[in-house]
Structures are given as structure tokens and as C-alpha cells.
């Protein structure tokens, strides 16, 4: 997929303004780059996915610091590399110290907007079929869908339940909905 530089700049500016649709576009556009990079580094699908989620979470949290003179993809990969290095350091450290930066604890809300195409597709399914479709997702995606849609937990409650930052939860849920919508679409085309 070819990315038009002008469209990308517009989406980045919209994302800086807090647009959920722009965040979705950026994640969809660059997910494979970041995930592929991490898969080569970690050789572990779960770790690569987890680091990718953290990368987008951090990027969305710090999007206002991105300088348009540089490549967005390179910026994401740099964030991803840093997260990976931090995880290696934590693994190698015998003392599990949790350092938190007060600014990083502030969560920049990603607004819930009108239902997305994925939400509409998901809601049109009958429950039994939907549950079968959800079972095709990886367990951590099943869990976040269950907490959000079946237990009707807020992002904050899910973050507390999973002991993860709220932005990670938002990105994970966004990814889970997208994957679930693809499963539903594929089944409908069979």
C-alpha cells in the first residue's frame, strides 16, 4: 500500500488534534512495519504484538512531539526499539523496580466516537456466532473484548484489571475489534 505524504501529514495533524479516526488510520498504516520489525527482533509473535501495542500507545501519547520534517515510520521504529531495549533491561534486572514518570501516568483520552465499521459489523452478528468468532482471536484479545463488551468495563477498569496502562488497553481493544471484524468479513465471504 502506497502512502501519500500529503495524506499522511494531514492524518498526523488530525491525530495531534485528538482525532480517533486519524489514530486508527496511522495504526492501520504502520502496524505491519512495527510488528514485522519486532517479530524479527524477538522471534516471538506474542512479544512482537505486545511491543507493537506499547509502541502505538506511547506514540499516541506523545504524538504532539513528532516533528513532521522526519519520517513517521522511523519515529515509530525508534519508539519500538526503545521499548524493546527497556524490556530486555527489565528481564535482565533481578530487582523488579517499577519506575513511573508522572507525565507518562497522565492518560491522553482517545475519545469514543460514533461506532466504527468494525463495531457495526460486530453488533450485527448473532451472539452464538459472535462468540465462535471471538474464540478465533488470541487469548489476550478475547480477554479485552470480554471485559469491554460483555462485562461492560470502562477503559480505566480494564487497565486496572489487566494491570496495564490505559493507552495500551485502548490500542489492544482497537486491534482486537479490527481483527474480529476481519474474521466476520472472511466468514461472510465464504
Amino acid at each position: 500500500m502506497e502512502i501519500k505524504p500529503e495524506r499522511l501529514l494531514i492524518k498526523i495533524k488530525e491525530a495531534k488534534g485528538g482525532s480517533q479516526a486519524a489514530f486508527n488510520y496511522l495504526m492501520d498504516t504502520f502496524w505491519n512495519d512495527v510488528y514485522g520489525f519486532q517479530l524479527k527482533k524477538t522471534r516471538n509473535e506474542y512479544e512482537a504484538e505486545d511491543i507493537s501495542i506499547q509502541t502505538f500507545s506511547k506514540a499516541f501519547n506523545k504524538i504532539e512531539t513528532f516533528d513532521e520534517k522526519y519520517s513517521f515510520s522511523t519515529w515509530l521504529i525508534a519508539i519500538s526499539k526503545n521499548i524493546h531495549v527497556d524490556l530486555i533491561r527489565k528481564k535482565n534486572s533481578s530487582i523488579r523496580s517499577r519506575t513511573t514518570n508522572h507525565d507518562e501516568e497522565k492518560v491522553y483520552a482517545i475519545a469514543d466516537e460514533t461506532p466504527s465499521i468494525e463495531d457495526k459489523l460486530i453488533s450485527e452478528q448473532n451472539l452464538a456466532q459472535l462468540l465462535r468468532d471471538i474464540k478465533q482471536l488470541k487469548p489476550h484479545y478475547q480477554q479485552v473484548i470480554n471485559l469491554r463488551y460483555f462485562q461492560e468495563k470502562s477503559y480505566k477498569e480494564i487497565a486496572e484489571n489487566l494491570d496495564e496502562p490505559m493507552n495500551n488497553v485502548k490500542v489492544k481493544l482497537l486491534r482486537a475489534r479490527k481483527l474480529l471484524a476481519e474474521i466476520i468479513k472472511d466468514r461472510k465471504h465464504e
Side-chain angles (χ1 to χ4, degrees):
M1 180 175 97
E2 189 182 330
I3 306 161
K4 293 188 174 154
E6 349 29 270
R7 179 165 169 74
L8 182 59
L9 283 175
I10 290 167
K11 291 298 178 185
I12 290 168
K13 281 184 173 50
E14 289 173 1
K16 284 182 175 186
S19 165
Q20 177 68 46
F23 286 144
N24 294 357
Y25 172 85
L26 293 171
M27 190 173 101
D28 289 348
T29 304
F30 294 101
W31 176 268
N32 290 340
D33 294 344
V34 174
Y35 177 74
F37 173 78
Q38 281 304 331
L39 193 56
K40 283 179 191 161
K41 280 200 137 344
T42 64
R43 294 184 182 92
N44 177 311
E45 283 182 26
Y46 181 80
E47 263 187 65
E49 215 166 71
D50 193 47
I51 293 169
S52 297
I53 287 168
Q54 289 181 50
T55 300
F56 283 96
S57 172
K58 193 167 198 166
F60 295 162
N61 206 17
K62 305 281 186 194
I63 189 101
E64 71 282 350
T65 67
F66 174 70
D67 185 343
E68 287 92 2
K69 289 184 278 194
Y70 302 101
S71 161
F72 192 72
S73 176
T74 303
W75 185 66
L76 285 172
I77 296 296
I79 291 171
S80 188
K81 275 182 191 172
N82 291 338
I83 290 170
H84 184 243
V85 167
D86 287 347
L87 289 174
I88 290 170
R89 279 191 196 130
K90 281 180 187 171
K91 279 182 186 175
N92 292 340
S93 168
S94 58
I95 302 167
R96 188 174 190 271
S97 62
R98 188 161 187 233
T99 58
T100 56
N101 179 340
H102 183 60
D103 290 337
E104 285 183 17
E105 289 298 309
K106 291 180 189 169
V107 176
Y108 295 88
I110 299 175
D112 281 340
E113 293 182 355
T114 54
S116 67
I117 295 164
E118 290 92 358
D119 290 332
K120 287 178 187 157
L121 263 174
I122 292 167
S123 65
E124 289 170 5
Q125 302 306 303
N126 73 41
L127 186 60
Q129 183 59 56
L130 181 61
L131 291 172
R132 283 193 294 274
D133 292 339
I134 290 170
K135 289 249 183 271
Q136 293 181 50
L137 295 171
K138 290 183 179 175
H140 58 284
Y141 288 141
Q142 290 179 32
Q143 183 181 34
V144 79
I145 292 261
N146 177 30
L147 289 168
R148 180 71 174 159
Y149 296 106
F150 294 99
Q151 295 183 34
E152 298 182 347
K153 302 265 188 214
S154 69
Y155 288 131
K156 185 174 190 276
E157 291 169 325
I158 296 170
E160 288 167 0
N161 188 301
L162 299 178
D163 193 28
E164 287 187 29
M166 197 182 317
N167 272 355
N168 283 18
V169 167
K170 290 177 181 180
V171 174
K172 196 177 278 187
L173 191 58
L174 187 68
R175 185 82 181 131
R177 287 192 332 230
K178 184 175 173 46
L179 292 170
L180 184 57
E182 286 171 13
I183 290 168
I184 293 167
K185 260 192 248 176
D186 290 346
R187 184 177 38 76
K188 283 188 169 185
H189 288 110
E190 286 177 353

